Amino acid sequence: HLYTMDAVGVMEPDQTVELLMWEMCPDTMQIFTKKVCKDGPEATKKSGICDIIPGAQIDDFLFDPCGYSMNGLLPGGYYITIHVTPEPHCSYVSFESNVPQENYMELMEKVLNTFKPSKFLMTVFANKESIAKDNHKQLENKELVPGYTRADHQFCTFKNYNLTYSHFTRPII
Ligand SMILES: C[S@@+](CC[C@H](N)C(=O)[O-])C[C@H]1O[C@@H](n2cnc3c(N)ncnc32)[C@H](O)[C@@H]1O
């Protein structure tokens, strides 16, 4: 479901970037188990999650026997949230942030290098006041992510927001 505010105009910049990932590298997923890490902070460090958006104040939790959730807060009211389901038969990771960036490529590469999914869906949702609004144009390039093939790409225009949805796949490694 996608909800948008049908207000008269846009006063404040607003943006959300999401990466939904499936079929992750099994070795990487082991980090998010009690066999490899004792707690959330150890998994955050060992996986490299701490370097995705440095400087966040992080609250992280490692479930027993496996599974991981983190919420991070940044100055300015920005957030980052990551949830990991590492079970090999249904591995899934979600990443979401409202950090404003003119180009989300570097952030996307960091997230993909951290989890190494074979399939992912990227969405960028930005209003006209946001510095992230040009990401929609950049995401039109279907060769954007080396090693991945773009399987689907959609651009939607709403009253105050635009949305890009791009689905990428690659062979399982
Ligand atoms: C991190 S939670 C995230 C769920 C959902 N995909 C999300 O993004 O909100 C799912 C992972 O945590 C594990 N887990 C262990 N104990 C749990 C609990 N009490 N509640 C939820 N997940 C738990 C699950 O087995 C799974 O690997």
Side-chain angles (χ1 to χ4, degrees):
H1 296 274
L2 175 67
Y3 298 96
T4 67
M5 194 160 68
D6 196 18
V8 176
V10 171
M11 309 300 286
E12 298 278 332
D14 186 37
Q15 56 287 311
T16 308
V17 54
E18 270 188 282
L19 280 151
L20 310 180
M21 295 162 272
W22 291 268
E23 295 171 8
M24 261 59 60
C25 165
D27 291 345
T28 305
M29 288 295 97
Q30 284 293 310
I31 295 171
F32 303 99
T33 68
K34 286 278 186 180
K35 264 193 255 165
V36 172
C37 288
K38 68 174 185 308
D39 57 17
E42 189 181 349
T44 300
K45 193 158 179 232
K46 205 176 262 251
S47 61
I49 285 175
C50 55
D51 301 319
I52 292 178
I53 301 184
Q57 193 184 339
I58 291 177
D59 178 42
D60 39 15
F61 189 80
L62 184 65
F63 291 99
D64 190 359
C66 69
Y68 167 92
S69 286
M70 73 78 87
N71 294 295
L73 288 178
L74 291 143
Y78 300 115
Y79 69 84
I80 164 177
T81 185
I82 297 176
H83 302 275
V84 180
T85 295
E87 285 93 330
H89 62 285
C90 59
S91 67
Y92 173 70
V93 177
S94 63
F95 167 92
E96 181 183 322
S97 180
N98 65 345
V99 169
Q101 294 185 353
E102 283 178 32
N103 185 329
Y104 284 124
M105 269 311 288
E106 194 185 327
L107 176 60
M108 177 168 70
E109 278 167 15
K110 280 188 186 176
V111 175
L112 294 176
N113 287 335
T114 302
F115 298 108
K116 303 175 188 70
S118 35
K119 297 178 186 164
F120 71 93
L121 195 61
M122 180 173 187
T123 66
V124 174
F125 197 51
N127 69 16
K128 289 154 193 157
E129 294 297 316
S130 168
I131 63 159
K133 65 180 189 303
D134 290 340
N135 278 280
H136 299 293
K137 194 88 200 142
Q138 293 149 17
L139 285 164
E140 281 175 13
N141 175 10
K142 67 177 188 172
E143 312 283 325
L144 195 68
V145 197
Y148 287 87
T149 304
R150 193 170 77 184
D152 191 12
H153 180 79
Q154 296 183 31
F155 175 71
C156 306
T157 307
F158 300 102
K159 188 168 177 182
N160 297 314
Y161 285 81
N162 289 335
L163 167 75
T164 291
Y165 157 113
S166 241
H167 181 206
F168 293 86
T169 63
R170 74 171 178 195
I172 295 175
I173 50 169

